[in-house]
Amino acid sequence: MKVGLVGFAGSGKTTVFNTMTGLDVPTGFGGDVRLGRVSVPDARIDALSRIFKPRKTTYAEITFCDIPGEHGADRKGLSRKALQQIRDQEALCLVLRDFVNPALESDPDPAADLEAFHTECVLADLEIVERRLERGKKEKADPLEMAAFELLRATLEEGRPVRSLTAEPLNRDLLRGYVLLTDRPLLVALNRSEEKAAEGVPAALATRIAELGAGALALSAHVEAEIASLEPADQAAFLEDLGLSEPALSRFIRTAYGLLDLISFFTVGEDEVRAWTIRRGTRARQAAGRIHSDLERGFIRAEVTPYEVFMQYGSEAAAKEAGRLQLEGKDYVVADGDIMSIRFNV
Ligand SMILES: Nc1nc2c(ncn2[C@@H]2O[C@H](COP(=O)(O)OP(=O)(O)OP(=O)(O)O)[C@@H](O)[C@H]2O)c(=O)[nH]1
Ligand SMILES: [Mg+2]
C-alpha cells in the first residue's frame, strides 16, 4: 500500500516525509525516491492500550513514498521518469507550496500548481486512452471496452478526472492493467507558511479540489517538524498556542489511510494491542489470515466486539454478558474498529 508524495520542486514533500517517518532524508532539491513506513495514529488503539497495558502496542502502518520534484525547467511539465514514479503509487498526496521558498524565484501559487499538476495527469491519461482506442480499432476489440475508453476520452478532453466517474457509467473491470493517474485517489496538502499554520484551505481552492474529487487539508511542514521534535508533554502546549487540536500530520496520515479504502480491526490482550490493516469489504476468514495463515486455514468463527460496544461495557466479558458479543462466520464482512478473537483449529 504505497502513498506517493508528489508535487513540484521545493513544495516541502521531503520535509513532510521526514516528519512522518522520523527519517532524515536531505531536504532541498532533488534526491532519490524514498520509502518510509508510517504508523497510523488511532485514538482507539491508545484507549485500548490504556485499558490492557500490553507489553506491546502496534498501530496500523502505511508506506509513504517521497518522490523528488523536477528541477531546472520553468515549465511545469512532468518527465516520463516522473510519471512512471507517480504511476507506481496506489494513492497520491499532492503537496502544494504556499510559502516563500528562497531557493525558488516564483511566488507561491498553489491554485496554479494544482491546475498544472492536474493538467499533466489528464494529458498523461489521454495519451494512454488514445493509444488504446487506436489499437482497438485495428484489432476489432471488445465493443464494451472501446465504449469505456470513449467515455474516458470524452471525460478527459473536458479536463475532468477519471475518478469523477462512478461505477455506473464506467465499469472499471474493463480498465484492468491500465494505470490512469486521474483515477488514483488524491489528497491535496496545502503546505503553508508558519504564520498560516492554523488556517484552513481557502474556500476557492477547497471548492476546486472537491471538484476534482480529491480530499484537502492544510498544514505547515515546518511547524509539524517542530511539533514532532518536542517532548509529548510540550507538544500539547505548543499545539494550543497555535490554535490546533492535534498535529495536522496525524490527520494527514489518517486521511491517506482512508483514501486507500483501508480499515483496521483490532486484537487485544496483555501481550499486545494491535491494529491490523484490511481493505474495506474483507471477510472474516481473509482478515484472520492477516494475523496468521493458520487462522485462515483452520478458521472456525470470529468473536467480534465492535470498539464502541467494548468501550460502553469496558471489557469483552461484560459485553458478552450483555449479549453484545457477535459470533460471526467466515463470510462476515469485517467493520472498521471490530475487536476480533479468532477461533481456529489446525
Ligand atoms: N518556510 C517554510 N519552508 C518550508 C516548509 N516546508 C518546506 N520548506 C523548505 O522548503 C525547502 C524545500 O523543502 P523540501 O521538503 O526539500 O521540498 P521537496 O518538495 O521535497 O523538494 P524536491 O524534493 O526538490 O521536489 C527546504 O528548504 C525546506 O526547509 C514550510 O512549511 N515553511
Ligand atoms: Mg524532496
Side-chain angles (χ1 to χ4, degrees):
M1 309 287 168
K2 269 200 299 186
V3 182
L5 292 168
V6 299
F8 296 113
S11 63
K13 300 174 293 295
T14 303
T15 308
V16 170
F17 178 81
N18 280 341
T19 311
M20 285 193 296
T21 57
L23 295 173
D24 197 13
V25 170
T27 57
F29 289 163
D32 300 321
V33 173
R34 308 273 185 152
L35 293 177
R37 294 179 74 76
V38 172
S39 292
V40 181
D42 191 332
R44 297 169 302 182
I45 286 288
D46 297 335
L48 291 169
S49 196
R50 278 194 297 273
I51 292 170
F52 286 93
K53 302 191 177 42
R55 276 181 276 283
K56 196 167 166 217
T57 299
T58 309
Y59 293 84
E61 281 190 342
I62 41 174
T63 299
F64 277 89
C65 183
D66 179 32
I67 301 171
E70 293 192 285
H71 303 276
D74 292 334
R75 57 179 198 98
K76 300 272 188 180
L78 295 171
S79 68
R80 299 250 148 229
K81 182 172 144 219
L83 285 173
Q84 196 45 52
Q85 289 166 340
I86 298 172
R87 284 201 181 105
D88 279 345
Q89 314 299 319
E90 281 164 285
L92 304 177
C93 288
L94 173 65
V95 180
L96 294 178
R97 178 168 71 92
D98 192 12
F99 60 91
V100 175
N101 185 334
L104 295 172
E105 271 173 21
S106 55
D107 286 335
D109 190 347
D113 286 353
L114 174 66
E115 293 311 325
F117 181 80
H118 174 61
T119 304
E120 285 296 320
C121 293
V122 165
L123 291 175
D125 285 356
L126 253 179
E127 201 182 313
I128 291 176
V129 167
E130 271 167 356
R131 220 182 307 137
R132 177 66 196 121
L133 281 169
E134 221 153 281
R135 212 158 27 82
K137 239 187 284 167
K138 288 184 204 137
E139 290 172 357
K140 301 207 178 60
D142 171 13
L144 275 177
E145 187 189 343
M146 288 304 102
F149 276 84
E150 292 287 359
L151 173 63
L152 292 176
R153 173 156 68 189
T155 305
L156 291 163
E157 276 175 349
E158 285 170 17
R160 288 193 298 130
V162 173
R163 80 177 73 80
S164 66
L165 296 169
T166 58
E168 188 30 60
L170 182 65
N171 176 1
R172 281 177 173 72
D173 289 344
L174 297 168
L175 310 181
R176 281 219 191 105
Y178 293 91
V179 177
L180 299 173
L181 293 176
T182 65
D183 204 24
R184 288 285 194 247
L186 179 67
L187 173 62
V188 178
L190 185 63
N191 186 14
R192 315 203 82 176
S193 57
E194 291 74 340
E195 313 80 74
K196 292 199 240 168
E199 286 173 37
V201 179
L205 190 58
T207 304
R208 179 61 181 143
I209 293 170
E211 234 172 60
L212 295 176
L217 60 83
L219 83 173
S220 168
H222 264 185
V223 169
E224 295 299 319
E226 199 166 334
I227 295 170
S229 71
L230 295 173
E231 295 295 325
D234 299 331
Q235 286 186 4
F238 186 74
L239 285 168
E240 201 175 314
D241 275 354
L242 286 167
L244 298 168
S245 59
E246 64 166 351
L249 216 52
S250 305
R251 202 153 40 90
F252 183 92
I253 298 166
R254 277 203 312 272
T255 310
Y257 189 70
L259 207 63
L260 287 168
D261 226 13
L262 300 176
I263 59 171
S264 302
F265 73 90
F266 307 138
T267 51
V268 296
E270 280 162 19
D271 276 339
E272 191 179 24
V273 164
R274 177 161 182 167
W276 302 87
T277 301
I278 50 173
R279 282 213 186 263
R280 190 179 294 284
T282 301
R283 295 177 189 279
R285 185 179 191 148
Q286 277 74 47
R290 294 281 302 143
I291 304 173
H292 197 284
S293 55
D294 281 355
L295 271 60
E296 181 166 357
R297 208 152 41 87
F299 183 94
I300 299 170
R301 65 166 188 273
E303 298 178 2
V304 178
T305 317
Y307 173 79
E308 279 72 26
V309 171
F310 180 95
M311 291 317 261
Q312 187 185 338
Y313 291 97
S315 72
E316 280 173 297
K320 184 174 182 177
E321 202 137 298
R324 299 294 301 276
L325 182 86
Q326 301 166 212
L327 297 182
E328 304 287 1
K330 64 179 167 47
D331 289 330
Y332 168 70
V333 174
V334 178
D336 186 41
D338 277 351
I339 297 172
M340 305 243 283
S341 276
I342 309 295
R343 298 287 158 237
F344 71 109
N345 183 13
V346 283

mmCIF file of all heavy atoms in Angstrom, residues 7-16 26-31 66-71 95 99-102 191-194 219-223, ligand 1:
data_model
loop_
_atom_site.group_PDB
_atom_site.id
_atom_site.type_symbol
_atom_site.label_atom_id
_atom_site.label_comp_id
_atom_site.label_asym_id
_atom_site.label_seq_id
_atom_site.Cartn_x
_atom_site.Cartn_y
_atom_site.Cartn_z
ATOM 1 N N GLY A 7 4.441 16.383 -6.277
ATOM 2 C CA GLY A 7 4.288 17.828 -6.370
ATOM 3 C C GLY A 7 5.531 18.421 -6.982
ATOM 4 O O GLY A 7 6.502 17.712 -7.239
ATOM 5 N N PHE A 8 5.502 19.720 -7.174
ATOM 6 C CA PHE A 8 6.603 20.367 -7.856
ATOM 7 C C PHE A 8 7.777 20.590 -6.914
ATOM 8 O O PHE A 8 7.649 20.486 -5.698
ATOM 9 C CB PHE A 8 6.119 21.656 -8.507
ATOM 10 C CG PHE A 8 5.101 21.372 -9.581
ATOM 11 C CD1 PHE A 8 3.788 21.758 -9.436
ATOM 12 C CD2 PHE A 8 5.470 20.639 -10.709
ATOM 13 C CE1 PHE A 8 2.842 21.449 -10.415
ATOM 14 C CE2 PHE A 8 4.533 20.324 -11.679
ATOM 15 C CZ PHE A 8 3.223 20.729 -11.529
ATOM 16 N N ALA A 9 8.902 20.880 -7.501
ATOM 17 C CA ALA A 9 10.151 21.029 -6.753
ATOM 18 C C ALA A 9 9.998 22.045 -5.616
ATOM 19 O O ALA A 9 9.406 23.099 -5.791
ATOM 20 C CB ALA A 9 11.259 21.463 -7.701
ATOM 21 N N GLY A 10 10.525 21.682 -4.482
ATOM 22 C CA GLY A 10 10.573 22.621 -3.371
ATOM 23 C C GLY A 10 9.242 22.894 -2.702
ATOM 24 O O GLY A 10 9.079 23.914 -2.030
ATOM 25 N N SER A 11 8.279 21.996 -2.836
ATOM 26 C CA SER A 11 6.970 22.250 -2.218
ATOM 27 C C SER A 11 6.928 21.753 -0.779
ATOM 28 O O SER A 11 5.976 22.036 -0.047
ATOM 29 C CB SER A 11 5.846 21.627 -3.050
ATOM 30 O OG SER A 11 5.980 20.224 -3.094
ATOM 31 N N GLY A 12 7.951 20.980 -0.388
ATOM 32 C CA GLY A 12 8.008 20.542 1.014
ATOM 33 C C GLY A 12 7.732 19.058 1.219
ATOM 34 O O GLY A 12 7.490 18.618 2.335
ATOM 35 N N LYS A 13 7.788 18.281 0.145
ATOM 36 C CA LYS A 13 7.481 16.849 0.244
ATOM 37 C C LYS A 13 8.427 16.124 1.192
ATOM 38 O O LYS A 13 7.987 15.360 2.061
ATOM 39 C CB LYS A 13 7.563 16.194 -1.144
ATOM 40 C CG LYS A 13 6.591 16.783 -2.136
ATOM 41 C CD LYS A 13 6.787 16.219 -3.530
ATOM 42 C CE LYS A 13 8.105 16.623 -4.169
ATOM 43 N NZ LYS A 13 8.216 18.072 -4.438
ATOM 44 N N THR A 14 9.716 16.374 1.026
ATOM 45 C CA THR A 14 10.689 15.658 1.857
ATOM 46 C C THR A 14 10.579 16.095 3.313
ATOM 47 O O THR A 14 10.734 15.277 4.230
ATOM 48 C CB THR A 14 12.116 15.876 1.314
ATOM 49 O OG1 THR A 14 12.143 15.441 -0.051
ATOM 50 C CG2 THR A 14 13.140 15.076 2.093
ATOM 51 N N THR A 15 10.261 17.358 3.529
ATOM 52 C CA THR A 15 10.073 17.836 4.906
ATOM 53 C C THR A 15 8.908 17.088 5.564
ATOM 54 O O THR A 15 9.008 16.632 6.705
ATOM 55 C CB THR A 15 9.803 19.361 4.901
ATOM 56 O OG1 THR A 15 10.833 20.007 4.148
ATOM 57 C CG2 THR A 15 9.789 19.922 6.304
ATOM 58 N N VAL A 16 7.821 16.952 4.826
ATOM 59 C CA VAL A 16 6.663 16.206 5.340
ATOM 60 C C VAL A 16 7.038 14.737 5.567
ATOM 61 O O VAL A 16 6.736 14.156 6.613
ATOM 62 C CB VAL A 16 5.465 16.310 4.347
ATOM 63 C CG1 VAL A 16 4.351 15.348 4.729
ATOM 64 C CG2 VAL A 16 4.945 17.740 4.307
ATOM 65 N N PRO A 26 17.863 14.094 3.233
ATOM 66 C CA PRO A 26 18.205 15.504 2.994
ATOM 67 C C PRO A 26 17.090 16.241 2.252
ATOM 68 O O PRO A 26 16.544 15.714 1.276
ATOM 69 C CB PRO A 26 19.462 15.424 2.123
ATOM 70 C CG PRO A 26 19.880 14.000 2.076
ATOM 71 C CD PRO A 26 18.779 13.159 2.573
ATOM 72 N N THR A 27 16.731 17.422 2.740
ATOM 73 C CA THR A 27 15.758 18.242 2.021
ATOM 74 C C THR A 27 16.521 19.057 0.988
ATOM 75 O O THR A 27 17.724 18.914 0.846
ATOM 76 C CB THR A 27 14.981 19.169 2.967
ATOM 77 O OG1 THR A 27 15.923 19.974 3.656
ATOM 78 C CG2 THR A 27 14.152 18.382 3.950
ATOM 79 N N GLY A 28 15.775 19.922 0.323
ATOM 80 C CA GLY A 28 16.429 20.664 -0.755
ATOM 81 C C GLY A 28 16.269 19.876 -2.034
ATOM 82 O O GLY A 28 15.726 18.775 -2.018
ATOM 83 N N PHE A 29 16.752 20.443 -3.108
ATOM 84 C CA PHE A 29 16.359 19.937 -4.414
ATOM 85 C C PHE A 29 16.849 18.534 -4.729
ATOM 86 O O PHE A 29 17.978 18.168 -4.417
ATOM 87 C CB PHE A 29 16.836 20.892 -5.490
ATOM 88 C CG PHE A 29 16.055 22.163 -5.471
ATOM 89 C CD1 PHE A 29 16.520 23.298 -6.103
ATOM 90 C CD2 PHE A 29 14.850 22.232 -4.794
ATOM 91 C CE1 PHE A 29 15.799 24.471 -6.079
ATOM 92 C CE2 PHE A 29 14.109 23.391 -4.759
ATOM 93 C CZ PHE A 29 14.598 24.516 -5.403
ATOM 94 N N GLY A 30 15.987 17.803 -5.351
ATOM 95 C CA GLY A 30 16.369 16.528 -5.930
ATOM 96 C C GLY A 30 16.424 15.394 -4.936
ATOM 97 O O GLY A 30 15.713 15.390 -3.940
ATOM 98 N N GLY A 31 17.271 14.417 -5.236
ATOM 99 C CA GLY A 31 17.372 13.245 -4.387
ATOM 100 C C GLY A 31 16.679 12.064 -5.018
ATOM 101 O O GLY A 31 16.184 12.134 -6.144
ATOM 102 N N ASP A 66 8.444 9.198 -1.015
ATOM 103 C CA ASP A 66 8.828 10.588 -1.294
ATOM 104 C C ASP A 66 9.415 10.657 -2.697
ATOM 105 O O ASP A 66 10.442 10.041 -2.975
ATOM 106 C CB ASP A 66 9.857 11.047 -0.250
ATOM 107 C CG ASP A 66 10.311 12.481 -0.489
ATOM 108 O OD1 ASP A 66 9.488 13.278 -0.990
ATOM 109 O OD2 ASP A 66 11.478 12.797 -0.183
ATOM 110 N N ILE A 67 8.747 11.394 -3.551
ATOM 111 C CA ILE A 67 9.180 11.473 -4.945
ATOM 112 C C ILE A 67 9.719 12.880 -5.207
ATOM 113 O O ILE A 67 9.008 13.857 -5.025
ATOM 114 C CB ILE A 67 8.008 11.161 -5.894
ATOM 115 C CG1 ILE A 67 7.476 9.765 -5.590
ATOM 116 C CG2 ILE A 67 8.439 11.286 -7.348
ATOM 117 C CD1 ILE A 67 6.206 9.417 -6.307
ATOM 118 N N PRO A 68 10.982 12.976 -5.622
ATOM 119 C CA PRO A 68 11.528 14.319 -5.846
ATOM 120 C C PRO A 68 10.787 15.038 -6.967
ATOM 121 O O PRO A 68 10.394 14.411 -7.956
ATOM 122 C CB PRO A 68 12.988 14.055 -6.227
ATOM 123 C CG PRO A 68 13.172 12.598 -6.337
ATOM 124 C CD PRO A 68 11.925 11.903 -5.949
ATOM 125 N N GLY A 69 10.610 16.339 -6.789
ATOM 126 C CA GLY A 69 10.041 17.136 -7.867
ATOM 127 C C GLY A 69 11.083 17.341 -8.942
ATOM 128 O O GLY A 69 12.235 16.950 -8.788
ATOM 129 N N GLU A 70 10.664 17.963 -10.028
ATOM 130 C CA GLU A 70 11.618 18.144 -11.127
ATOM 131 C C GLU A 70 12.145 19.567 -11.174
ATOM 132 O O GLU A 70 11.457 20.515 -10.866
ATOM 133 C CB GLU A 70 10.962 17.743 -12.438
ATOM 134 C CG GLU A 70 10.709 16.253 -12.426
ATOM 135 C CD GLU A 70 10.329 15.749 -13.788
ATOM 136 O OE1 GLU A 70 9.185 16.004 -14.188
ATOM 137 O OE2 GLU A 70 11.169 15.129 -14.439
ATOM 138 N N HIS A 71 13.370 19.659 -11.561
ATOM 139 C CA HIS A 71 14.074 20.929 -11.448
ATOM 140 C C HIS A 71 14.616 21.403 -12.780
ATOM 141 O O HIS A 71 14.636 20.678 -13.743
ATOM 142 C CB HIS A 71 15.227 20.779 -10.466
ATOM 143 C CG HIS A 71 14.749 20.312 -9.148
ATOM 144 N ND1 HIS A 71 14.262 21.165 -8.212
ATOM 145 C CD2 HIS A 71 14.591 19.067 -8.666
ATOM 146 C CE1 HIS A 71 13.850 20.461 -7.179
ATOM 147 N NE2 HIS A 71 14.039 19.188 -7.427
ATOM 148 N N VAL A 95 1.490 17.708 -2.668
ATOM 149 C CA VAL A 95 1.900 18.779 -1.747
ATOM 150 C C VAL A 95 2.034 20.070 -2.548
ATOM 151 O O VAL A 95 2.816 20.144 -3.507
ATOM 152 C CB VAL A 95 3.234 18.434 -1.046
ATOM 153 C CG1 VAL A 95 3.651 19.561 -0.102
ATOM 154 C CG2 VAL A 95 3.112 17.114 -0.279
ATOM 155 N N PHE A 99 4.272 28.831 0.623
ATOM 156 C CA PHE A 99 5.213 29.594 1.437
ATOM 157 C C PHE A 99 6.306 30.091 0.495
ATOM 158 O O PHE A 99 6.459 29.569 -0.607
ATOM 159 C CB PHE A 99 5.829 28.733 2.556
ATOM 160 C CG PHE A 99 6.595 27.534 2.049
ATOM 161 C CD1 PHE A 99 7.961 27.616 1.782
ATOM 162 C CD2 PHE A 99 5.950 26.335 1.811
ATOM 163 C CE1 PHE A 99 8.672 26.514 1.317
ATOM 164 C CE2 PHE A 99 6.651 25.218 1.324
ATOM 165 C CZ PHE A 99 8.009 25.313 1.083
ATOM 166 N N VAL A 100 7.012 31.119 0.939
ATOM 167 C CA VAL A 100 8.078 31.662 0.096
ATOM 168 C C VAL A 100 9.310 30.775 0.268
ATOM 169 O O VAL A 100 9.821 30.615 1.364
ATOM 170 C CB VAL A 100 8.404 33.123 0.483
ATOM 171 C CG1 VAL A 100 9.595 33.625 -0.324
ATOM 172 C CG2 VAL A 100 7.177 33.991 0.260
ATOM 173 N N ASN A 101 9.718 30.160 -0.820
ATOM 174 C CA ASN A 101 10.921 29.331 -0.790
ATOM 175 C C ASN A 101 12.064 30.152 -1.397
ATOM 176 O O ASN A 101 12.043 30.447 -2.592
ATOM 177 C CB ASN A 101 10.679 28.036 -1.590
ATOM 178 C CG ASN A 101 11.848 27.086 -1.483
ATOM 179 O OD1 ASN A 101 12.980 27.501 -1.246
ATOM 180 N ND2 ASN A 101 11.573 25.801 -1.664
ATOM 181 N N PRO A 102 13.041 30.522 -0.567
ATOM 182 C CA PRO A 102 14.110 31.412 -1.054
ATOM 183 C C PRO A 102 14.888 30.816 -2.230
ATOM 184 O O PRO A 102 15.503 31.551 -2.999
ATOM 185 C CB PRO A 102 15.039 31.564 0.157
ATOM 186 C CG PRO A 102 14.359 30.911 1.304
ATOM 187 C CD PRO A 102 13.241 30.083 0.803
ATOM 188 N N ASN A 191 0.743 23.201 1.805
ATOM 189 C CA ASN A 191 1.853 23.413 2.747
ATOM 190 C C ASN A 191 2.056 24.909 2.946
ATOM 191 O O ASN A 191 2.588 25.602 2.083
ATOM 192 C CB ASN A 191 3.122 22.744 2.210
ATOM 193 C CG ASN A 191 4.268 22.813 3.202
ATOM 194 O OD1 ASN A 191 4.056 23.113 4.377
ATOM 195 N ND2 ASN A 191 5.468 22.541 2.735
ATOM 196 N N ARG A 192 1.598 25.399 4.101
ATOM 197 C CA ARG A 192 1.543 26.841 4.326
ATOM 198 C C ARG A 192 2.720 27.346 5.144
ATOM 199 O O ARG A 192 3.358 26.594 5.873
ATOM 200 C CB ARG A 192 0.256 27.184 5.075
ATOM 201 C CG ARG A 192 -0.957 26.465 4.510
ATOM 202 C CD ARG A 192 -2.221 27.174 4.828
ATOM 203 N NE ARG A 192 -2.424 28.258 3.888
ATOM 204 C CZ ARG A 192 -3.498 29.026 3.872
ATOM 205 N NH1 ARG A 192 -4.439 28.856 4.780
ATOM 206 N NH2 ARG A 192 -3.625 29.978 2.984
ATOM 207 N N SER A 193 2.941 28.632 5.059
ATOM 208 C CA SER A 193 3.985 29.243 5.873
ATOM 209 C C SER A 193 3.569 29.185 7.344
ATOM 210 O O SER A 193 2.401 28.974 7.670
ATOM 211 C CB SER A 193 4.202 30.689 5.438
ATOM 212 O OG SER A 193 2.983 31.390 5.537
ATOM 213 N N GLU A 194 4.525 29.366 8.223
ATOM 214 C CA GLU A 194 4.299 29.197 9.655
ATOM 215 C C GLU A 194 3.146 30.064 10.161
ATOM 216 O O GLU A 194 2.343 29.632 10.980
ATOM 217 C CB GLU A 194 5.578 29.520 10.428
ATOM 218 C CG GLU A 194 6.716 28.522 10.237
ATOM 219 C CD GLU A 194 7.425 28.615 8.876
ATOM 220 O OE1 GLU A 194 6.860 29.164 7.905
ATOM 221 O OE2 GLU A 194 8.552 28.107 8.792
ATOM 222 N N LEU A 219 -1.514 22.286 6.129
ATOM 223 C CA LEU A 219 -0.550 22.095 7.213
ATOM 224 C C LEU A 219 0.652 22.989 6.939
ATOM 225 O O LEU A 219 0.783 23.548 5.848
ATOM 226 C CB LEU A 219 -0.139 20.627 7.344
ATOM 227 C CG LEU A 219 0.961 20.056 6.440
ATOM 228 C CD1 LEU A 219 1.306 18.659 6.885
ATOM 229 C CD2 LEU A 219 0.521 20.010 4.989
ATOM 230 N N SER A 220 1.479 23.154 7.938
ATOM 231 C CA SER A 220 2.769 23.806 7.715
ATOM 232 C C SER A 220 3.840 22.783 8.052
ATOM 233 O O SER A 220 3.999 22.393 9.211
ATOM 234 C CB SER A 220 2.911 25.048 8.593
ATOM 235 O OG SER A 220 4.263 25.474 8.546
ATOM 236 N N ALA A 221 4.568 22.360 7.043
ATOM 237 C CA ALA A 221 5.543 21.279 7.237
ATOM 238 C C ALA A 221 6.573 21.659 8.298
ATOM 239 O O ALA A 221 6.949 20.831 9.125
ATOM 240 C CB ALA A 221 6.225 20.947 5.917
ATOM 241 N N HIS A 222 6.988 22.926 8.288
ATOM 242 C CA HIS A 222 7.970 23.367 9.288
ATOM 243 C C HIS A 222 7.417 23.245 10.696
ATOM 244 O O HIS A 222 8.092 22.779 11.609
ATOM 245 C CB HIS A 222 8.366 24.831 9.019
ATOM 246 C CG HIS A 222 9.633 24.930 8.213
ATOM 247 N ND1 HIS A 222 10.239 26.115 7.925
ATOM 248 C CD2 HIS A 222 10.393 23.968 7.654
ATOM 249 C CE1 HIS A 222 11.334 25.894 7.202
ATOM 250 N NE2 HIS A 222 11.436 24.601 7.022
ATOM 251 N N VAL A 223 6.172 23.701 10.857
ATOM 252 C CA VAL A 223 5.552 23.638 12.184
ATOM 253 C C VAL A 223 5.382 22.188 12.617
ATOM 254 O O VAL A 223 5.658 21.823 13.760
ATOM 255 C CB VAL A 223 4.187 24.384 12.176
ATOM 256 C CG1 VAL A 223 3.413 24.105 13.447
ATOM 257 C CG2 VAL A 223 4.416 25.876 11.989
HETATM 258 N N1 LIG B 1 9.072 28.404 5.391
HETATM 259 C C1 LIG B 1 8.821 27.128 5.115
HETATM 260 N N2 LIG B 1 9.738 26.435 4.437
HETATM 261 C C2 LIG B 1 9.490 25.142 4.164
HETATM 262 C C3 LIG B 1 8.295 24.491 4.565
HETATM 263 N N3 LIG B 1 8.321 23.236 4.119
HETATM 264 C C4 LIG B 1 9.498 23.076 3.473
HETATM 265 N N4 LIG B 1 10.205 24.232 3.485
HETATM 266 C C5 LIG B 1 11.534 24.464 2.918
HETATM 267 O O1 LIG B 1 11.473 24.379 1.517
HETATM 268 C C6 LIG B 1 12.648 23.756 1.013
HETATM 269 C C7 LIG B 1 12.293 22.547 0.160
HETATM 270 O O2 LIG B 1 11.691 21.596 1.017
HETATM 271 P P1 LIG B 1 11.714 20.069 0.639
HETATM 272 O O3 LIG B 1 10.964 19.348 1.690
HETATM 273 O O4 LIG B 1 13.085 19.607 0.322
HETATM 274 O O5 LIG B 1 10.863 20.102 -0.706
HETATM 275 P P2 LIG B 1 10.580 18.928 -1.712
HETATM 276 O O6 LIG B 1 9.193 19.093 -2.144
HETATM 277 O O7 LIG B 1 10.992 17.640 -1.140
HETATM 278 O O8 LIG B 1 11.551 19.317 -2.898
HETATM 279 P P3 LIG B 1 12.044 18.345 -4.071
HETATM 280 O O9 LIG B 1 12.360 17.021 -3.478
HETATM 281 O O10 LIG B 1 13.245 19.016 -4.606
HETATM 282 O O11 LIG B 1 10.946 18.311 -5.064
HETATM 283 C C8 LIG B 1 13.503 23.381 2.210
HETATM 284 O O12 LIG B 1 14.472 24.370 2.350
HETATM 285 C C9 LIG B 1 12.523 23.407 3.353
HETATM 286 O O13 LIG B 1 13.153 23.741 4.561
HETATM 287 C C10 LIG B 1 7.326 25.265 5.312
HETATM 288 O O14 LIG B 1 6.279 24.802 5.728
HETATM 289 N N5 LIG B 1 7.659 26.576 5.545
#
